[in-house]
Amino acid sequence: SAADPGALRTPIVAVLGHVDHGKTTLLDRIRGSAVQEGEAGAITQHIGATAVPLETISDMAGSLVDPTDFDLPGLLFIDTPGHHSFSTLRSRGGALADIAVLVVDVNDGFQPQTEEAIDILKRTGTPFVVAANKVDTTPGWNPQEGEPIQRSLEKQSDRAENRLNENLYELIGDLSGKGFSADFYWRVQDFQSNIGVVPVSAMTGEGIPDLLTVLMGLSQRYMKAEMAVDVAGPGVGTVLEVKDERGFGATLDVVLYDGVVREGDTIVVGGRDDPIVTEVRALLQPRPNAEIRTEKRFERVDEVRAAAGVKIAAPDLDEAMSGAPVRVVRGDDVDAVKAEVRKELARIEVDTAEDGVVVKADTLGSLEAMANALEEAEVPILRAEVGDVAPRDVTVAQTANEEHHRVILGFNVDVLADAEEALERTGVRLFDDDVIYQLVEEYEEYVEELER
Ligand code: GTP
Ligand code: MG
Ligand code: NA
């Protein structure tokens, strides 16, 4: 349990890869959920977190895993968005993680965001395995629901197996081109110097027992020393989302990646103006195997130990920003922790220009992603902020010199009633969407129309 002194820290496993290669579906398969089906545009927009206990892992892995071999409490999976604009979110995902699963569609092979994910893993020195996903789409495949991959391969025709192997060898070649020596995972002895490739299907569950076994082995063998360090220190985390909860007001969904947070602790959180100092009123933990992004029922607990997804209820969180750091103050003085949080925030600021568009987004991560997408499209930004569209945003947009800059681009945000009025009165155009590339495309089409 979380209160165990000397307990090992739960390893954080980031799931990375190109858009639609099956990251969320893979996690759905492991936790027995259907998060992917509820996503806008079938695209993951925000980082998620799911604690999968050792029991679930050993149930799924069946004969491949002996739970008595492991003393890790389980794995905390971090789902990340694959769309190309989310490089900064992924980078933080990569940096947060102890190990990673790089999901690659076996038919599609290496794609730009696969390469980008590899660059992030290389830069952060994160050990990883490759899940070669969608093996069930191999022509002539004979699906073997939930079976280990070797057992499934025994049931395939030579033709199907050869087709799959061609794709897998191509993948191994591409990894080698990136400077990694890789092989089928069952041939890998040392997972630190060689990348194991695990053929899987998120759809049929084939190969999932193997993937979980490799992840447990990798964490257990190479991470144990790290996992035992600093589990009882002051908690450190990242805000995934700020959400209103009935009876609590604004709350934080947090990935706690280090230390412990307790009810009554003083915490410092990145806010829209200055860091917020407040006191933890309640800690709400998602059920095991639940995605914190979609969880409805939380359990109230006295303390939470890293790594974990946790909802923190505290006063004065309205101005807290998604993507901001959160730190427990214990021993250190509040000002030192505030300074630390300010420093972390300064690293994620958006460049603005003299003239340009106004951008509003729901999280620091998506704001950064918007800024990257707009930079790529050569659209300058006058102001970029986290939050709903307010009348003052309209006032700022109105001051832009060029007509095509008198716009507000809103990603995943609401428009306040007064702002609707101001938009009508001033003729400032609002574009809003919950898929970034569509939002940018809509704006580009508008600019083209103006030029005609
Ligand atoms: P983003 O979050 O948008 O980057 O995508 P993702 O990597 O999470 O992929 P997602 O889980 O949304 O899956 C994309 C599509 O591939 C969905 O239609 C899934 O049903 C399908 N899919 C995922 N895994 C498999 C698989 O193993 N086999 C087959 N046949 N389809 C799969
Ligand atoms: Mg997804
Ligand atoms: Na998707």
Side-chain angles (χ1 to χ4, degrees), residues 8 71-72 218-229:
L8 296 175
D71 46 16
L72 292 171
L218 193 67
S219 328
Q220 182 83 7
R221 223 166 308 153
Y222 301 111
M223 317 290 303
K224 209 166 163 180
E226 265 174 63
M227 295 300 108
V229 169

Side-chain angles (χ1 to χ4, degrees), residues 291-307:
E291 167 59 78
I292 197 170
R293 275 198 282 142
T294 54
E295 176 65 316
K296 300 260 170 2
R297 288 166 46 205
F298 290 82
E299 189 197 350
R300 190 160 176 174
V301 294
D302 294 336
E303 69 164 41
V304 173
R305 185 179 290 252

Side-chain angles (χ1 to χ4, degrees), residues 104-384:
V104 187
D105 179 330
V106 270
N107 298 300
D108 235 13
F110 262 41
Q111 293 296 327
Q113 286 69 60
T114 316
E115 305 228 8
E116 202 179 48
I118 286 188
D119 291 340
I120 291 165
L121 294 168
K122 219 179 204 174
R123 196 167 68 231
T124 55
T126 311
F128 67 99
V129 295
V130 173
N133 191 33
K134 309 197 188 183
V135 296
D136 64 288
T137 60
T138 306
W141 191 258
N142 178 14
Q144 306 294 315
E145 194 72 18
E147 290 288 339
I149 195 64
Q150 309 252 38
R151 218 173 295 164
S152 168
L153 288 174
E154 285 166 12
K155 301 276 165 61
Q156 306 305 326
S157 64
D158 287 348
R159 193 145 175 263
E161 194 173 346
N162 289 340
R163 290 286 284 272
L164 176 62
N165 280 342
E166 270 171 40
N167 285 336
L168 292 171
Y169 278 118
E170 196 169 317
L171 201 55
I172 288 168
D174 284 339
L175 283 159
S176 143
K178 278 285 188 178
F180 290 101
S181 97
D183 206 342
F184 296 99
Y185 88 89
W186 52 84
R187 292 191 197 145
V188 172
Q189 301 284 329
D190 176 355
F191 283 90
Q192 247 179 347
S193 52
N194 292 289
I195 305 298
V197 175
V198 188
V200 302
S201 166
M203 203 64 105
T204 67
E206 285 156 286
I208 306 281
D210 313 67
L211 181 65
L212 292 172
T213 305
V214 171
L215 288 175
M216 285 307 284
L218 193 67
S219 328
Q220 182 83 7
R221 223 166 308 153
Y222 301 111
M223 317 290 303
K224 209 166 163 180
E226 265 174 63
M227 295 300 108
V229 169
D230 204 32
V231 274
V236 187
T238 297
V239 178
L240 297 184
E241 270 188 86
V242 184
K243 270 191 208 154
D244 279 326
E245 291 292 334
R246 198 195 301 219
F248 289 108
T251 65
L252 307 177
D253 285 357
V254 167
V255 172
L256 185 76
Y257 57 83
D258 213 349
V260 178
V261 58
R262 301 195 178 96
E263 207 179 285
D265 270 345
T266 299
I267 54 169
V268 178
V269 191
R272 251 169 248 161
D273 298 318
D274 214 32
I276 300 159
V277 180
T278 183
E279 206 168 277
V280 177
R281 194 161 279 169
L283 294 171
L284 304 163
Q285 202 161 34
R287 286 165 293 175
N289 294 320
E291 167 59 78
I292 197 170
R293 275 198 282 142
T294 54
E295 176 65 316
K296 300 260 170 2
R297 288 166 46 205
F298 290 82
E299 189 197 350
R300 190 160 176 174
V301 294
D302 294 336
E303 69 164 41
V304 173
R305 185 179 290 252
V310 59
K311 184 183 286 296
I312 298 180
D316 305 324
L317 291 176
D318 294 296
E319 298 283 299
M321 285 188 298
S322 304
V326 48
R327 289 178 168 270
V328 170
V329 183
R330 201 179 295 134
D332 294 314
D333 80 294
V334 177
D335 287 335
V337 178
K338 268 175 97 170
E340 180 61 34
V341 167
R342 245 184 239 120
K343 206 168 77 191
E344 283 175 67
L345 283 174
R347 273 187 236 127
I348 30 185
E349 254 166 28
V350 172
D351 283 336
T352 52
E354 294 279 308
D355 203 37
V357 300
V358 171
V359 181
K360 299 295 297 240
D362 58 339
T363 76
L364 272 180
S366 46
L367 196 65
E368 269 187 307
M370 276 293 296
N372 289 345
L374 289 171
E375 193 185 336
E376 230 171 82
E378 297 180 10
V379 178
I381 298 169
L382 177 60
R383 183 188 285 189

